[in-house]
Amino acid sequence: MSAAEAALGSGPAQPTGKVKAFLRLVMIEHSVFALPFAYIAALTAMFRLDEHVHWGTLLLVTLAMVGLRTFAMAANRIIDREIDARNPRTAGRELVTGAVSVKSAWTGALVALVVFLGAAALLNPLCLALAPVAVVPMVVYPYGKRFTNFPHAILGLAQAMGPIGAWLAVTGSWSWDAVILGLAVGVWIGGFDLIFACQDVRADRAHGVLSFPARYGIPAALWGARVCHAVTTALLVWFGLATDAQAFYWIGMAVVAVAFVYEHRVVRPHDLSRLNRAFFSVNGFIGIALFVCALLDLVVRGLTV
């Protein structure tokens, strides 16, 4: 909150300030990591269904994805606020500094959850029935670092459900092709969470917070991330083959492969100075690049936008 906003107290600017603080808390801009893959799943399902984009369904998928992710991030921040306060990197987060109260964070989380459940209900009965299943790992994940060295796997599982849910939203039926894409996303995000967790090794060890890097060391974590991203690449290739993807998709795959190589070249066990570039810039680029190429591929093959 700025000095001007603080001076206004309960004046007109305060609600806007609170909303902005909550959006910073949940890092709303990071929806870019998961949304492109949900769109790939939804649009591929639409292509198979009738080769037309169903904009209303796509809007509901967007609301569901953003709603669930916002709930998950808010719950994560609330549950981890005491851990965050002991870590110099996270001590400036909004719940630690008081920029957002716990009550406001829970309010925002519950609003986001209602948005998710409402979107699921409007999509189809199967989406609504499975919606609680999607919520569970979102809440379990922040507790994971208290009982397992592999909380990154729980995060991966949570993220894997995005493409599967998007496919279900369009067709109302199960698809193993969507599972392949979901696994690719889950392994991808689990892998870059291994990289991200490397910067907290010292604080995690000091305060008994569990993670793969804290238990096995940064070099092992970076090797684990490399393996995860090699598996991700293989799964994305499998998805392309399973869905009869053509030239543009494979161009996207080439771009993704190069981005993964770059990501793992800029982060070294004894030099994490460029970690944020690898985590935010490269991974955001990967999702957007593959989505654009997959969309072009579907349009060339006959998808009517």
Side-chain angles (χ1 to χ4, degrees), residues 120-173:
L122 291 172
L123 283 164
N124 57 59
L126 182 59
C127 285
L128 179 59
L130 293 177
V133 177
V135 173
V136 172
M138 305 298 179
V139 177
V140 172
Y141 166 64
Y143 288 109
K145 61 181 68 71
R146 293 162 171 84
F147 64 82
T148 178
N149 292 310
F150 305 94
H152 328 282
I154 303 173
L155 177 63
L157 174 63
Q159 297 296 329
M161 292 186 293
I164 298 172
W167 195 293
L168 290 174
V170 174
T171 66
S173 60

Side-chain angles (χ1 to χ4, degrees), residues 22-269:
F22 178 78
L23 294 179
R24 288 196 304 271
L25 175 77
V26 299
M27 303 175 77
I28 193 69
E29 68 276 10
H30 291 176
S31 299
V32 71
F33 292 149
L35 269 175
F37 291 92
Y39 289 155
I40 292 172
L43 292 170
T44 303
M46 291 174 187
F47 174 74
R48 285 190 171 180
L49 186 66
D50 59 11
E51 298 186 354
H52 284 79
V53 174
H54 300 257
W55 291 103
T57 300
L58 207 58
L59 174 61
L60 290 173
V61 167
T62 303
L63 290 173
M65 288 289 295
V66 174
L68 183 58
R69 186 201 166 278
T70 301
F71 167 77
M73 282 295 296
N76 189 318
R77 294 291 190 257
I78 294 166
I79 294 166
D80 278 354
R81 64 189 185 277
E82 293 181 2
I83 291 176
D84 288 344
R86 296 193 295 267
N87 185 337
R89 183 182 68 83
T90 57
R93 285 178 174 170
E94 288 74 13
L95 278 171
V96 179
T97 63
V100 176
S101 68
V102 175
K103 180 180 178 181
S104 294
W106 273 123
T107 300
L110 292 175
V111 169
L113 183 60
V114 169
V115 170
F116 166 65
L117 295 174
L122 291 172
L123 283 164
N124 57 59
L126 182 59
C127 285
L128 179 59
L130 293 177
V133 177
V135 173
V136 172
M138 305 298 179
V139 177
V140 172
Y141 166 64
Y143 288 109
K145 61 181 68 71
R146 293 162 171 84
F147 64 82
T148 178
N149 292 310
F150 305 94
H152 328 282
I154 303 173
L155 177 63
L157 174 63
Q159 297 296 329
M161 292 186 293
I164 298 172
W167 195 293
L168 290 174
V170 174
T171 66
S173 60
W174 185 259
S175 167
W176 288 108
D177 292 343
V179 173
I180 297 169
L181 184 58
L183 288 174
V185 173
V187 176
W188 169 54
I189 291 180
F192 75 66
D193 193 54
L194 283 174
I195 298 174
F196 192 68
C198 288
Q199 64 190 321
D200 292 328
V201 165
R202 183 175 298 177
D204 288 350
R205 288 173 175 170
H207 301 295
V209 177
L210 303 180
S211 74
F212 187 95
R215 174 64 179 84
Y216 299 103
I218 292 174
L222 295 181
W223 272 108
R226 293 186 187 106
V227 171
C228 285
H229 292 160
V231 172
T232 298
T233 303
L235 287 167
L236 290 173
V237 168
W238 187 6
F239 177 76
L241 294 172
T243 56
D244 300 317
Q246 296 181 13
F248 277 111
Y249 181 87
W250 299 115
I251 292 171
M253 279 303 310
V255 172
V256 168
V258 171
F260 275 145
V261 171
Y262 172 77
E263 178 177 31
H264 289 283
R265 286 182 65 86
V266 301
V267 180
R268 302 289 185 177

